Amino acid sequence: MNVMPPKAKKIPHAMTLHGDTRIDNYYWLRDDDRADPDVLEYLQQENEYGKKIMESQRALQDQLLKEMIARVPPHDVSAPYVKNGFRYRQVYEKGNEYAIYQRQSVVREEWESWEVLLDANQRAAHSEFYTMGGLAIAPDNTVMALAEDYLSRRQFGLRLRNLTTGNWYPELLENVSTSFVWANDSVTLYYVRKHPKTLLPYQVWRHTLGHPIGDDQLVYEEKDETFYVSVHKTTSQHFVIIHLASATTSEALLLDAELADAEPRLFSPRRKDHEYTVDHYQHGFYIRSNKDGKNFGLYRSAVRDEKQWETLIAPREQVMLEDFTLFRNWLVVEERQQGLTSLRQINRHTHESTGIAFDDPAYVTWLGYNPEPETSHLRYGYSSMTTPDTLFELDMDSGERKVIKQTHVAGFEASNYRSEHLWVTARDGVQVPVSLVYHRKHFRRGKSPLLVYGYGSYGSSMDADFSSSRLSLLDRGFVYAIAHVRGGGELGQQWYEDGKYLKKMNTFNDYLDVCDELLKQGYGDPKLLFAMGGERRRHADGHGNQYAP
């Protein structure tokens, strides 16, 4: 079948920046309003071309879709969590696309009836598109704030519902982000507005429940468009944090959550390349900062003055401190070393440290949602290339651990698959980690099709987690590999910096060298080697074809 792709017309458009003028012949394809008839017509032509090209594979596409859907349970219930006197959970019912959000008082038994906070299926019923961006319950448990997008542009509308009467308040806060938080009076709501043109989150506003939107007060506006604005509450519930973050610099402002008219106070002024996040608990601030090292340390202070920050965990060259969670008697840190994540619990009184052990050669673990600090129970997640997402609860006092929930994958048997974690020596002598998985029975050394996934941008880590859709490849004999190339964050901040700007070629070279070594070790057939990426991951695909077609 000889089908020609649509050809976009060229309309020269001059763009001048820093005294340099360049011509963009395809600038006309930018349509921020998604309404230009010429752009929509061209996109329709592209879609039709794609359908025609793939028509010969229609039967296979239908089969793959059928397999993937069959692995998803038609009915599913999330593991309930407890916050402020209520249990919360999400329920997916057979035939429904969206979740039903429920809560239940902790004084009741779990098998008793649950209150429906929101049925997203009903909210989406009369719209072509719907996304629920987040919900927040007021501290007195009587009002729900809800962010919804009906446009598919991440432009959310914030609505408010009285949970006692079930009635919705009349106000609608438009063009907001998914970042919003209640003050402690359960009447004042802080939310983030997006810029009308760029859609970047840039302003923090204060709304009073039941009052006209015109009465809302601007609390903070970010003038630098390279910074993103968000809000959240500290563990102590004493402060609302306005967090400002760019690619390499961050800043935090504090709002007293007890005051309806609180003014923001600067925690630590921004300076180039200093990144930090701050929490507050038991009358002290806890700060994750890279002020003393690229891989971040953890500090504690009773005051904002950086000179008085006490070091709890000093930055380490080979270990990235990624996150932390505070409990009454415990501090839990999420760290990354040798390309893998790990969790460590530290007794806040004795300072005794205990690592949480994992069995798989390639895996990822993460801190779960732990909204109640006055407990010894830690929730954390775990996944590997042969283990579906699993939620554990650990009693840090006794050491007892139990599985709260594991994602059910119909027809999956873990013993049929094998995962490996390798190190490949790149052309400049640097060791690059690789995670891979295959079906034990279908693997044929030197003859299997091999799909290598690459990323390597923004310091983001491509972790070795589970994918139910990937099983359709493995069951057909594919070997699936993740090349954790430079530019990602798998080996810390330096790993990221060694794959950006003037060192960007390291990303592509790492990817090519991983492919060569995997073929050399017999993980695939050279004639059946495939590359995969997405978004910025196209870098790896495009440059891989350019330098080693």
Side-chain angles (χ1 to χ4, degrees), residues 217-503:
Q217 298 172 312
L218 177 63
V219 177
Y220 176 81
E221 179 175 347
E222 177 56 52
K223 304 293 186 181
D224 188 338
E225 64 179 16
T226 65
F227 279 77
Y228 286 71
V229 180
S230 63
V231 293
H232 66 274
K233 221 167 188 179
T234 59
T235 298
S236 67
Q237 305 296 306
H238 290 168
F239 296 100
V240 171
I241 303 290
I242 300 176
H243 185 66
L244 314 168
S246 71
T248 61
T249 305
S250 58
E251 186 175 61
L253 305 173
L254 305 179
L255 291 164
D256 191 326
E258 297 292 340
L259 303 178
D261 58 351
E263 293 295 325
R265 293 183 296 162
L266 181 62
F267 185 79
S268 181
R270 72 182 67 172
R271 64 176 183 271
K272 188 176 184 298
D273 296 331
H274 181 214
E275 298 178 79
Y276 73 93
T277 56
V278 61
D279 197 2
H280 182 268
Y281 183 54
Q282 292 182 340
H283 310 294
F285 294 104
Y286 290 78
I287 309 103
R288 174 182 173 268
S289 165
N290 66 351
K291 72 183 186 72
D292 296 323
K294 293 181 178 181
N295 284 341
F296 291 85
L298 185 64
Y299 306 85
R300 177 176 57 194
S301 179
V303 297
R304 291 172 286 161
D305 184 3
E306 187 176 320
K307 296 178 181 178
Q308 298 189 47
W309 293 4
E310 172 194 358
T311 301
L312 297 180
I313 301 175
R316 292 149 293 173
E317 186 175 347
Q318 302 299 328
V319 182
M320 167 69 87
L321 175 63
E322 294 204 329
D323 200 1
F324 70 96
T325 296
L326 297 163
F327 295 88
R328 179 182 60 232
N329 296 320
W330 297 93
L331 163 67
V332 184
V333 293
E334 179 181 322
E335 300 169 319
R336 183 181 294 273
Q337 53 187 322
Q338 295 297 300
L340 299 173
T341 52
S342 61
L343 299 177
R344 188 161 55 98
Q345 62 181 88
I346 303 169
N347 189 296
R348 297 178 61 197
H349 307 292
T350 67
H351 307 296
E352 180 181 0
S353 175
T354 304
I356 299 175
F358 304 103
D359 300 326
D360 291 294
Y363 65 88
V364 58
T365 185
W366 61 91
L367 290 169
Y369 184 49
N370 294 280
E372 297 280 324
E374 301 297 319
T375 179
S376 64
H377 290 177
L378 164 72
R379 286 194 173 186
Y380 65 92
Y382 177 82
S383 179
S384 78
M385 302 182 93
T386 58
T387 307
D389 289 4
T390 307
L391 180 64
F392 288 97
E393 185 172 272
L394 171 69
D395 187 330
M396 293 181 284
D397 289 343
S398 68
E400 181 183 354
R401 185 182 75 166
K402 59 182 178 180
V403 174
I404 299 297
K405 181 178 176 61
Q406 184 174 73
T407 301
H408 176 70
V409 181
F412 172 71
E413 176 55 56
S415 61
N416 289 335
Y417 304 87
R418 175 181 171 83
S419 67
E420 299 182 27
H421 190 66
L422 312 175
W423 292 88
V424 169
T425 303
R427 63 193 66 185
D428 59 358
V430 171
Q431 294 283 297
V432 179
V434 181
S435 303
L436 59 84
V437 63
Y438 51 84
H439 194 292
R440 294 177 184 270
K441 293 182 180 179
H442 301 318
F443 176 65
R444 297 176 299 159
R445 186 162 297 278
K447 297 181 179 180
S448 293
L450 170 63
L451 175 60
V452 183
Y453 183 95
Y455 187 26
S457 288
Y458 301 118
S460 296
S461 298
M462 297 295 103
D463 291 310
D465 58 1
F466 187 83
S467 168
S468 62
S469 59
R470 185 193 300 145
L471 297 176
S472 292
L473 278 177
L474 305 183
D475 292 350
R476 287 170 169 80
F478 267 83
V479 175
Y480 180 88
I482 303 173
H484 304 288
V485 297
R486 279 173 281 187
E490 289 86 348
L491 296 182
Q493 185 69 14
Q494 191 61 52
W495 193 251
Y496 164 45
E497 294 180 3
D498 284 345
K500 64 185 293 193
Y501 299 145
L502 296 178
K503 298 181 180 180

Side-chain angles (χ1 to χ4, degrees), residues 73-183:
H75 177 80
D76 195 22
V77 180
S78 68
Y81 66 86
V82 175
K83 182 178 181 180
N84 195 25
F86 282 84
R87 298 185 190 96
Y88 292 87
R89 72 179 186 183
Q90 300 174 28
V91 177
Y92 287 87
E93 295 184 338
K94 185 176 181 179
N96 286 341
E97 183 177 356
Y98 300 96
I100 300 171
Y101 299 83
Q102 302 177 336
R103 75 172 180 178
Q104 179 191 63
S105 172
V106 294
V107 301
R108 304 178 66 120
E109 298 294 335
E110 281 195 42
W111 51 264
E112 295 186 66
S113 62
W114 288 66
E115 171 191 1
V116 175
L117 294 172
L118 179 79
D119 186 339
N121 300 284
Q122 295 179 2
R123 303 291 292 176
H126 304 293
S127 177
E128 292 184 4
F129 177 87
Y130 176 82
T131 294
M132 198 281 283
L135 61 82
I137 308 299
D140 67 1
N141 291 315
T142 64
V143 185
M144 175 179 69
L146 173 70
E148 298 172 301
D149 176 14
Y150 287 92
L151 300 174
S152 183
R153 292 195 66 193
R154 298 183 182 177
Q155 290 177 281
F156 292 85
L158 197 57
R159 296 167 174 83
L160 302 160
R161 186 185 188 192
N162 187 307
L163 296 177
T164 303
T165 66
N167 296 327
W168 293 87
Y169 287 86
E171 56 261 44
L172 169 61
L173 314 180
E174 296 184 286
N175 195 30
V176 305
S177 77
T178 57
S179 182
F180 50 94
V181 65
W182 290 97

